[in-house]
């Protein structure tokens, strides 16, 4: 069963799709308002897909039920992600990518984006992608179960470029964790555009402008 999604098309017959995963405790509405700030007049028609994560109990938050892409079992990033939950979310994301193909948008024209926990799932899905996506966008995120990244890496996956933005004052996903994840992706063969911003665990106007520049290059190359 496909995840419930909020969708926004910037023009008729979209040629590209952006699937954007929200952070812990948020929902698909969280990043929908970013569309007018991000989209540029010379871009092709896009379909933005903002899925809602399933509601699950989150261990680190006292087992409170909230929308989450996976359970967070430990504050330590190396052990934070519930691997079964990550796998489940990757499968759900793959189902959304497959649906885009049925709507006329090939995998090579799908950008997968995410903030925080959604960014972690974006990177997990990107590592395993048997055919390259148009690109991966990780905002204030990290590679979950990084010690296993090489073993799950699909050969073609590294052809997807990565935009990786992170706040230097992030108290939730430490800045150094973002740096390490970006370095790991480069080591695995990904082309990573790493950007740092003087902000906490959030998104800023400069980051959105940089992301827009990066996306413009994707559309030109595609």
């Amino acid at each position: 069963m496909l995840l419930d999604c909020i969708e926004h098309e910037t023009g008729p017959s979209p040629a590209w799709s952006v699937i954007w995963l929200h952070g812990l405790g948020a929902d698909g509405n969280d990043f929908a308002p970013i569309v007018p700030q991000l989209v540029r007049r010379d871009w092709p028609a896009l379909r933005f897909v903002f899925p809602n994560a399933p509601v699950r109990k989150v261990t680190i938050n006292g087992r409170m039920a909230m929308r989450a892409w996976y359970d967070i079992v430990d504050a330590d990033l190396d052990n934070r992600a519930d691997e079964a939950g990550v796998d489940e979310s990757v499968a759900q994301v793959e189902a959304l990518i497959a649906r885009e193909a049925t709507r006329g948008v090939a995998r090579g024209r799908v950008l997968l984006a995410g903030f925080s926990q959604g960014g972690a799932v974006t990177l997990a899905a990107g590592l395993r992608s048997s055919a390259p996506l148009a690109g991966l966008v990780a905002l204030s995120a990290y590679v979950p179960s990084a010690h296993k990244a090489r073993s799950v890496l699909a050969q073609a996956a590294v052809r997807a470029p990565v935009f990786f933005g992170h706040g230097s004052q992030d108290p939730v996903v430490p800045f150094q964790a973002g740096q390490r994840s970006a370095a790991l992706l480069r080591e695995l063969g990904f082309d990573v555009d790493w950007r740092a911003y003087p902000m906490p665990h959030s998104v800023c106007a400069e980051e959105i402008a940089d992301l827009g520049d990066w996306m413009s290059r994707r559309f030109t190359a595609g």
Side-chain angles (χ1 to χ4, degrees):
M1 183 172 160
L2 284 173
L3 294 171
D4 178 46
C5 301
I6 293 161
E7 296 192 358
H8 177 82
E9 295 183 0
T10 64
S13 305
W16 298 73
S17 295
V18 182
I19 300 174
W20 200 307
L21 310 182
H22 62 74
L24 176 68
D27 61 22
N29 291 295
D30 200 33
F31 278 91
I34 215 168
V35 172
Q37 302 174 47
L38 179 64
V39 172
R40 302 187 179 178
R41 289 188 177 185
D42 60 340
W43 284 4
L46 306 176
R47 177 183 296 115
F48 282 86
V49 179
F50 300 99
N52 291 309
V55 174
R56 67 182 83 218
K57 294 178 180 178
V58 177
T59 301
I60 204 168
N61 286 351
R63 302 286 295 161
M64 187 182 298
M66 61 187 66
R67 292 198 181 277
W69 297 107
Y70 51 85
D71 186 18
I72 297 178
V73 295
D74 196 303
D76 175 43
L77 279 181
D78 291 335
N79 303 302
R80 179 177 292 189
D82 149 40
E83 292 186 18
V86 172
D87 291 347
E88 178 187 344
S89 289
V90 168
Q92 290 170 324
V93 168
E94 280 293 338
L96 292 176
I97 294 170
R99 181 177 65 170
E100 290 311 295
T102 69
R103 299 200 282 187
V105 181
R107 188 182 192 89
R109 290 196 166 195
V110 175
L111 289 158
L112 185 58
F115 174 77
S116 192
Q117 197 186 53
V121 170
T122 289
L123 295 175
L127 283 166
R128 306 174 196 191
S129 184
S130 57
L133 294 158
L136 306 172
V137 178
L139 307 179
S140 305
Y142 67 100
V143 176
S145 304
H147 60 289
K148 295 185 177 179
R150 191 174 295 277
S151 65
V152 301
L153 179 66
Q155 186 174 4
V158 299
R159 300 210 301 271
V162 181
F163 180 91
F164 207 133
H166 213 104
S168 58
Q169 303 149 22
D170 193 332
V172 178
V173 180
F175 183 67
Q176 293 76 13
Q179 287 180 311
R180 286 196 300 271
S181 288
L184 171 62
L185 292 170
R186 284 197 181 112
E187 184 184 323
L188 294 174
F190 286 88
D191 175 12
V192 180
D193 186 345
W194 164 262
R195 300 297 181 104
Y197 305 93
M199 64 179 184
H201 193 64
S202 59
V203 175
C204 65
E206 184 185 356
E207 184 177 33
I208 296 307
D210 289 342
L211 175 58
D213 291 343
W214 180 88
M215 288 176 68
S216 289
R217 293 194 293 274
R218 307 287 74 78
F219 301 141
T220 302

